[in-house]
Amino acid sequence: QVQLVESGGGLVQAGGSLRLSCAASGRTFRNYAMGWFRQAPGNEREFVATISWSGGITTYADSVRGRFTISRDNAKNTLYLQMNSLKPEDTAVYYCAATSTYGVVLSTQYNYWGQGTQVTVSS
């Protein structure tokens, strides 16, 4: 079991920045590739970004590439998502998730999930 707890969400104006954190506990954090997903009201949960076990390889959704940066600190058992140049369409609940397979973008391929943190971007 891996327990994941997100934090750092909030209300920000368009063009602003937020940094999300995801604290992990339980099984060894560094054994898992990690991902961020988001879900807006009425929409399906969508892939945002993923990062390999060591943090050396990352993959992004087209909608966030160049604006968001995923990173991890295995010594602190923490995953991050730096979000810059935020847009109203980025408004959603953001979830972190863990998987044993790097590079997967389907939510069904992730084994463990946090409870989510709300990000609201005003225009």
Side-chain angles (χ1 to χ4, degrees), residues 27-70:
R27 292 196 175 187
T28 307
F29 177 66
R30 64 178 179 270
N31 288 347
Y32 292 90
M34 299 295 296
W36 286 99
F37 288 76
R38 66 187 182 186
Q39 188 167 18
N43 291 355
E44 294 186 353
R45 192 167 296 187
E46 67 171 353
F47 168 76
V48 174
T50 186
I51 189 167
S52 62
W53 302 269
S54 66
I57 306 172
T58 56
T59 302
Y60 295 91
D62 290 343
S63 59
V64 307
R65 187 177 294 112
R67 299 187 298 122
F68 290 11
T69 302
I70 188 172

Side-chain angles (χ1 to χ4, degrees), residues 6-122:
E6 301 95 338
S7 62
L11 173 64
V12 64
Q13 288 188 332
S17 299
L18 280 175
R19 188 175 83 155
L20 305 183
S21 298
C22 172
S25 60
R27 292 196 175 187
T28 307
F29 177 66
R30 64 178 179 270
N31 288 347
Y32 292 90
M34 299 295 296
W36 286 99
F37 288 76
R38 66 187 182 186
Q39 188 167 18
N43 291 355
E44 294 186 353
R45 192 167 296 187
E46 67 171 353
F47 168 76
V48 174
T50 186
I51 189 167
S52 62
W53 302 269
S54 66
I57 306 172
T58 56
T59 302
Y60 295 91
D62 290 343
S63 59
V64 307
R65 187 177 294 112
R67 299 187 298 122
F68 290 11
T69 302
I70 188 172
S71 62
R72 67 191 295 166
D73 185 336
N74 287 343
K76 295 183 178 180
N77 289 348
T78 304
L79 174 74
Y80 302 99
L81 185 68
Q82 178 67 44
M83 305 185 294
N84 298 329
S85 302
L86 282 160
K87 304 175 181 180
E89 51 263 44
D90 294 318
T91 295
V93 177
Y94 283 71
Y95 299 90
C96 66
T99 178
S100 57
T101 306
Y102 171 69
V104 296
V105 301
L106 297 178
S107 60
T108 53
Q109 295 170 303
Y110 284 75
N111 307 103
Y112 303 103
W113 292 85
Q115 83 291 347
T117 185
Q118 176 71 47
V119 171
T120 303
V121 184
S122 63

